Amino acid sequence: MRVMAMIDSLIAAGAERMAVNIANALAEAGIESHLCATRIGGPLEEFVSPDVKLFVPGKRCSRDMRAFLRLRRYIRQNGIEIIHAHSSSLFWAVMLKFTLPSLKIVWHDHFGFSDWLHVRETFYLRMAMPFTGHSFVVNEKLMNFARERLKVSESKLSFLPNFGDLTGDRSKVEPLPDSDMKPKLVCLANLRMQKDHDNLLDAFRLVSGRFDTARLYLVGGHFNDDYYRHISGRIVSEPELKGRVHILGSRNDVAAILDACDVGILSSLSEGLPVSLLEYGMTRLPVVCTEVGECSFVLDGGSCGELVPPQNSAALANAIIKVLENPEEAQAKAEKLYNRVVEYFSKDEAVKKIIGVYKSLVGDR
């Protein structure tokens, strides 16, 4: 069985990390695994297993026929049978199937704005569904969206929880700024408006009033856009933030950073099933998180971490302070989260389900 995972890029974000995790896991399971980043590579290239064949055709736009033909040639030369298309890569996967009808298409929907599905465009997705052999979704809201809005039949639809994989993440460690300062807070999220870093910065201003040596580390990629300039501008201009909040960008030593920190935070307006939350759990890091998407499911309704309403910086600050002032209780919840991640978000179970779907499409090979 020859499978190609397809994703737009390899920036350090949730869907991209899952594409790498799945490609690596398939190779571990003995499947010939290929990974295509249609547009560009990125920091996650370092985590692609040597057993996974990486291909970057260099797509410049959705109508880049030269890149499309390069990818088509690669698929034919390597005998690819299944394309596991993540997120918007579905559209190129379907175009490839038009020219190579024997290809089987699996779509993996990671749509992160799952609280705003009522405004999601459906026309092109519905056009693609008849050519898609199976669809994986990462939360119940996306499951309902696929059933009700995309008219996907139950036999072609599966819930597939994300899973974390920090293997090898401790191999190259860069020192943290102000490494001698405590407590250390970390937010593992790309700098995008959906992640609501303004809420986090407002909360941190309150936290630093109680813990004047606190430091906040923002780990994740950015696009050098207006949102990034706004957040970085606040950090350098506001006295309560300047010198205390550090933008680290995309990092390849995420596990080491999490090991060094005291609280993991997500302040998002909307989420699907965030891989960051699973990675906090894998490192037994106490968690404070907004109650959006599947965060409550991951944290078992708050028994494995602190849940707060979105866009409420006072509630977020109070929850962070609670964790810092009650370390034994916080660590007990972190241990429960670790056990829950191991039980419900297992790589082995996810890979077993994925391979089962592949076999239903091409047979047991």
Side-chain angles (χ1 to χ4, degrees), residues 17 20-21 24 42-50 165-171 251-254:
R17 187 173 284 274
V20 172
N21 288 351
N24 289 345
L44 292 179
E45 286 184 56
E46 184 168 339
F47 299 105
V48 177
S49 165
D165 188 353
L166 291 173
T167 304
D169 240 4
R170 293 173 175 81
S171 57
R251 292 282 290 255
N252 293 335
D253 56 345
V254 169

Side-chain angles (χ1 to χ4, degrees), residues 175-189 191 197 200-201 204 212-222 228 231-232 234-236 238 240-251 257 261:
L176 290 176
D178 294 339
S179 59
D180 56 333
M181 293 295 183
K182 297 280 282 184
K184 294 183 176 66
L185 317 180
V186 62
C187 177
L188 184 56
L191 268 70
H197 291 84
L200 177 55
L201 295 183
F204 182 75
D212 61 358
T213 59
R215 294 296 183 266
L216 172 61
Y217 302 99
L218 305 182
V219 182
H222 66 81
Y228 167 73
I231 296 299
S232 58
R234 284 195 62 182
I235 290 169
V236 298
E238 297 181 23
E240 299 92 340
L241 304 178
K242 188 174 182 179
R244 296 179 175 183
V245 181
H246 301 281
I247 297 178
L248 303 185
S250 293
R251 292 282 290 255
I257 293 172
C261 288

Side-chain angles (χ1 to χ4, degrees), residues 192-240:
R192 292 187 290 147
M193 192 173 296
Q194 169 203 359
K195 303 299 182 179
D196 199 5
H197 291 84
D198 277 310
N199 183 25
L200 177 55
L201 295 183
D202 290 342
F204 182 75
R205 288 171 55 135
L206 300 173
V207 172
S208 62
R210 185 78 64 91
F211 296 89
D212 61 358
T213 59
R215 294 296 183 266
L216 172 61
Y217 302 99
L218 305 182
V219 182
H222 66 81
F223 306 96
N224 200 28
D225 55 6
D226 289 343
Y227 182 74
Y228 167 73
R229 286 187 285 273
H230 164 68
I231 296 299
S232 58
R234 284 195 62 182
I235 290 169
V236 298
S237 64
E238 297 181 23
E240 299 92 340

Side-chain angles (χ1 to χ4, degrees), residues 14-166:
E16 290 77 9
R17 187 173 284 274
M18 283 309 304
V20 172
N21 288 351
I22 290 171
N24 289 345
L26 291 174
E28 289 175 18
I31 290 175
E32 184 176 317
S33 180
H34 300 249
L35 175 61
C36 173
T38 55
R39 189 168 58 86
I40 56 172
L44 292 179
E45 286 184 56
E46 184 168 339
F47 299 105
V48 177
S49 165
D51 298 322
V52 175
K53 299 175 178 66
L54 176 63
F55 180 62
V56 182
K59 179 178 74 173
R60 293 174 296 178
C61 66
S62 60
R63 297 181 298 277
D64 187 343
M65 290 308 299
R66 288 186 178 180
F68 180 83
L69 293 174
R70 283 194 290 271
L71 177 54
R72 184 181 185 277
R73 184 164 54 249
Y74 181 94
I75 289 169
R76 292 192 65 187
Q77 288 174 347
N78 288 277
I80 302 298
E81 300 168 273
I82 297 170
I83 295 179
H84 189 137
H86 295 265
S87 301
S88 61
S89 295
L90 172 66
F91 300 110
W92 261 37
V94 169
M95 287 172 60
L96 287 161
K97 185 172 177 63
F98 287 160
T99 68
L100 299 168
S102 64
L103 271 178
K104 306 298 182 184
I105 307 299
V106 173
W107 180 41
H108 204 137
D109 188 7
H110 301 269
F111 190 70
F113 296 89
S114 60
D115 295 293
W116 302 338
L117 283 169
H118 59 285
V119 298
R120 188 182 189 187
E121 176 58 58
T122 61
F123 178 78
Y124 293 108
L125 290 173
R126 292 185 66 174
M127 293 283 287
M129 287 302 102
F131 307 98
T132 304
H134 201 87
S135 297
F136 289 122
V137 296
V138 300
N139 62 49
E140 188 65 28
K141 290 179 180 178
L142 292 178
M143 178 78 82
N144 292 334
F145 175 84
R147 287 191 193 110
E148 297 166 10
R149 302 281 301 282
L150 303 183
K151 308 302 180 185
V152 180
S153 67
E154 293 289 340
S155 63
K156 298 174 67 174
L157 183 62
S158 298
F159 169 56
L160 185 71
N162 288 338
F163 61 88
D165 188 353
L166 291 173

